[in-house]
Amino acid sequence: MTDKRVNLLGLPRPQLEEWILERGGKPFRARQLFHWLYRRGVTQFDEMTDLAKAFRDQLNAEAHVSLPQIVTRQNATDGTIKWMLRADDTQAFEMVYIPDGMRSTLCISSQVGCAMDCTFCSTAQQGFNRNLTAAEIVGQVFLAQQELGFQAGDNRLISNVVLMGMGEPLANFRNVVPALRVLLDEIGFDFSRRRLTLSTSGLVPQMYKLAEETNVALAVSLHAPDDELRSQLVPINRLHPIAELLQACWHYIDEQNGRSVTFEYVMLDGVNDSPAQARALARLLKGHPAKVNLIPFNPFPGTQYRRSRPEAISAFLDQVLKGGVMATVRRTRGDDIDAACGQLVGRVIDRTTARLGAKRIPIALEPLSGSLP
Ligand code: SAH
């Protein structure tokens, strides 16, 4: 039997207030619940001692607070931790914790698998199974804090959250946006908007919509300086080419009064790593609020690509910087446990029918109409 009760982790505070009101309760109870959940890490209603007994009974009957279940946990030699989390009996997704001095980043997933089909990403090879719910997205952060030894009042175990795990977050807009609201809420996780980053392969219409809904930091997987190459690497480019994508980026920054967009650029040997391509990249971005993050390619079984040589990466970096664009190289972390960028595979049984070899088209893009929960 499926559980009809609502998992409260998926509800931003205004929606929780509404939910309580509909049941004849007082809206301020939402503040109390948020406090118990996100400040104290309490998930059992019976332990929430300042809630009236009748209200707790009602909560027990109609709601629950459930975290994703851990299938496996792996610790890398560099302190990176990867968890495989259960989506259902056969499906799993992954989450990675990356400590780095004062900074500690949690990389979370938004979907089980991915339908974007980027040729250099191992998640793409798995196919797409389903969207994660808002509660499963928030639940990853909640669970990671617990695993890291969360104590009440101490919500700084994780300094940054990046939606860079499995999946395309903007293809799961209706669950990702409410989850971001809970993460940003001052009595939720209280992350500042600059410490929450959403990374997209470039779903342009959803980027405009995102600008209306939230103001988190934006990262965009660019990976090539021209449409011909980008369309090969990131198939969504055939639908939304680079010029359109960049317009959407600058619009986002204008609307959000943001600092800059981070452009991710995976370094593939002999494919996109020449000095001429670096100069072309700099020409595209110069004068705009942009920085480039070069990601050395992380190999996976069956891939045709190789990581660019270190000299090629530093020469590329030099050319981008000389071209007047800020750039850095992402340090590879957790690769001994396959926890690095593009190595998250979980356990996915492809449920889509649109994977037609060369004709594959990105699917599972939910329609943009309709209101958010
Ligand atoms: N779907 C979103 C979120 C994934 S983020 C997006 O495309 O942005 C993960 C980042 O790692 C993306 O920039 C992605 O392009 C990059 N990546 C994917 N596979 C990789 C690999 N094998 N090696 C290095 N980076 C990879």
Side-chain angles (χ1 to χ4, degrees), residues 20 30 68 95 98 212-213 221 236 271 277 286 315 326 345 352:
I20 293 169
M95 149 176 108
I98 310 148
E212 292 169 17
E213 300 282 350
S221 293
I236 189 80
V271 176
Q277 284 163 318
K286 187 175 179 193
M326 179 58 204
V345 293
T352 67

Side-chain angles (χ1 to χ4, degrees), residues 20-75:
I20 293 169
L21 263 174
E22 281 166 9
R23 282 155 186 79
K26 300 267 190 303
F28 75 88
R29 298 278 178 219
R31 274 189 92 86
Q32 286 180 307
L33 272 167
F34 257 57
H35 214 269
W36 280 111
L37 289 170
Y38 303 115
R39 286 305 162 89
R40 305 208 191 166
V42 170
T43 58
Q44 297 300 320
F45 300 129
D46 290 331
E47 291 171 25
M48 303 182 178
T49 45
D50 60 356
L51 301 182
K53 172 84 169 67
F55 184 52
R56 279 187 269 151
D57 289 345
Q58 198 172 17
L59 285 170
N60 278 321
E62 297 189 54
H64 64 122
V65 177
S66 303
L67 304 178
Q69 288 170 17
I70 298 171
V71 181
T72 58
R73 168 178 164 150
Q74 286 172 279
N75 296 288

Side-chain angles (χ1 to χ4, degrees), residues 107-108 110-111 114 116 118-123 163-170 198-202 219-223 234 263-268 295-300 303 307 330 340-343:
C107 176
I108 60 174
S110 56
Q111 299 182 311
C114 188
M116 304 314 292
C118 300
T119 51
F120 52 85
C121 180
S122 64
T123 304
L163 274 154
M164 295 188 187
M166 293 170 72
E168 167 49 54
L170 292 185
L198 182 149
S199 178
T200 179
S201 56
V220 170
S221 293
L222 191 57
H223 306 314
V234 185
F263 289 94
E264 295 155 294
Y265 195 102
V266 62
M267 297 298 293
L268 304 169
I295 315 176
F297 172 65
N298 295 306
F300 51 88
T303 181
R307 179 181 292 183
R330 190 179 292 179
C341 302
Q343 291 185 320

Side-chain angles (χ1 to χ4, degrees), residues 334-349:
D335 50 348
D336 54 334
I337 54 167
D338 287 343
C341 302
Q343 291 185 320
L344 303 186
V345 293
R347 245 187 245 149
V348 182
I349 297 174

Side-chain angles (χ1 to χ4, degrees), residues 104 145 150 153-159 189-192:
S104 49
Q145 281 192 336
F150 175 82
D154 162 24
N155 58 348
R156 289 288 164 260
L157 288 169
I158 295 164
S159 66
F189 287 92
D190 193 27
F191 282 104
S192 93

Side-chain angles (χ1 to χ4, degrees), residues 115-334:
M116 304 314 292
D117 233 350
C118 300
T119 51
F120 52 85
C121 180
S122 64
T123 304
Q125 315 303 310
Q126 310 290 304
F128 173 77
N129 185 269
R130 71 166 171 88
N131 285 328
L132 291 178
T133 63
E136 285 170 322
I137 298 169
V138 171
Q140 290 172 69
V141 185
F142 203 115
L143 176 68
Q145 281 192 336
Q146 281 197 343
E147 284 279 293
L148 296 167
F150 175 82
Q151 302 276 325
D154 162 24
N155 58 348
R156 289 288 164 260
L157 288 169
I158 295 164
S159 66
N160 296 60
V161 172
V162 295
L163 274 154
M164 295 188 187
M166 293 170 72
E168 167 49 54
L170 292 185
N172 185 14
F173 200 91
R174 70 176 61 245
N175 292 304
V176 164
V177 169
L180 290 174
R181 296 224 159 98
V182 177
L183 295 174
L184 289 164
D185 192 312
E186 68 205 23
I187 52 170
F189 287 92
D190 193 27
F191 282 104
S192 93
R193 68 186 183 106
R194 303 200 194 283
R195 292 177 179 277
L196 268 184
T197 304
L198 182 149
S199 178
T200 179
S201 56
L203 272 62
V204 167
Q206 285 84 347
M207 289 168 70
Y208 282 99
K209 193 150 181 253
L210 189 72
E212 292 169 17
E213 300 282 350
T214 183
N215 58 8
V216 297
L218 182 68
V220 170
S221 293
L222 191 57
H223 306 314
D226 63 85
D227 281 320
E228 195 186 341
L229 180 58
R230 188 165 192 272
S231 291
Q232 285 171 30
L233 301 176
V234 185
I236 189 80
N237 193 68
R238 296 172 208 161
L239 222 55
H240 303 296
I242 293 174
E244 225 186 272
L245 173 62
L246 294 181
Q247 278 311 313
C249 290
W250 314 143
H251 170 82
Y252 187 85
I253 293 298
D254 280 351
E255 286 293 299
Q256 297 309 335
N257 201 11
R259 285 185 190 155
S260 57
V261 174
T262 300
F263 289 94
E264 295 155 294
Y265 195 102
V266 62
M267 297 298 293
L268 304 169
D269 181 37
V271 176
N272 64 355
D273 64 348
S274 74
Q277 284 163 318
R279 288 191 292 274
L281 179 64
R283 282 196 299 276
L284 270 183
L285 303 179
K286 187 175 179 193
H288 293 288
K291 54 185 184 207
V292 170
N293 193 212
L294 303 176
I295 315 176
F297 172 65
N298 295 306
F300 51 88
T303 181
Q304 52 171 318
Y305 298 110
R306 287 182 314 268
R307 179 181 292 183
S308 301
R309 287 171 301 107
E311 315 83 77
I313 297 177
S314 45
F316 195 95
L317 179 70
D318 281 352
Q319 291 293 325
V320 176
L321 292 169
K322 269 196 200 127
V325 176
M326 179 58 204
T328 49
V329 179
R330 190 179 292 179
R331 210 147 52 87
T332 297
R333 299 291 305 271

